[in-house]
């Protein structure tokens, strides 16, 4: 559905899943509650994280360009170092 990464935002993830399966992902509140993987002490709950990965794994696939298009040449990156202007320094 999307070629761009999510912004580490549960609302955006829910929005995409709601678009795909509106009967399953009906409202945001239960989704946010179910995927809140942090405890009151702001520590990640490993059991909830594993359950979230397992559930979301059913809906997501991550493929890189080289896995999709075999004839695509490797990416060439060119770095150009530019000095900062006076305005950028201060």
């Amino acid at each position: 559905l999307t070629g761009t990464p999510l912004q580490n935002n549960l609302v955006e993830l829910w929005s995409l899943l709601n678009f795909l399966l509106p009967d399953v992902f009906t409202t945001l509140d239960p989704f946010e509650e179910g995927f809140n993987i942090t405890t009151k002490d702001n520590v990640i709950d490993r059991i909830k994280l594993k359950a979230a990965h397992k559930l979301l794994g059913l809906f997501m696939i991550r493929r890189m360009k080289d896995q999709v298009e075999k004839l695509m040449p490797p990416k060439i990156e060119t770095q150009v170092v530019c000095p900062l202007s006076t305005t950028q320094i201060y």
Side-chain angles (χ1 to χ4, degrees):
L1 181 65
T2 179
T4 58
L6 298 175
Q7 299 175 350
N8 296 324
N9 182 325
L10 278 180
V11 176
E12 186 177 353
L13 175 60
W14 173 81
S15 173
L16 288 170
L17 292 171
N18 173 260
F19 177 77
L20 292 172
L21 297 167
D23 294 336
V24 175
F25 299 99
T26 53
T27 57
L28 178 60
D29 290 337
F31 184 82
E32 282 187 312
E33 193 175 306
F35 282 91
N36 182 9
I37 60 170
T38 56
T39 63
K40 292 180 182 178
D41 301 327
N42 208 22
V43 176
I44 293 176
D45 183 336
R46 299 273 180 206
I47 295 171
K48 280 188 174 182
L49 178 63
K50 191 172 184 177
H53 277 222
K54 187 175 181 179
L55 176 66
L56 293 175
L58 300 171
F59 299 99
M60 295 187 184
I61 183 170
R62 181 168 187 223
R63 297 184 298 167
M64 305 300 273
K65 286 181 185 177
D66 62 341
Q67 295 171 316
V68 178
E69 177 55 63
K70 300 292 184 192
L71 299 175
M72 184 178 286
K75 181 166 112 176
I76 298 173
E77 292 186 30
T78 304
Q79 294 183 1
V80 178
V81 179
C82 300
L84 296 174
S85 69
T86 305
T87 307
Q88 292 171 316
I89 294 173
Y90 299 105

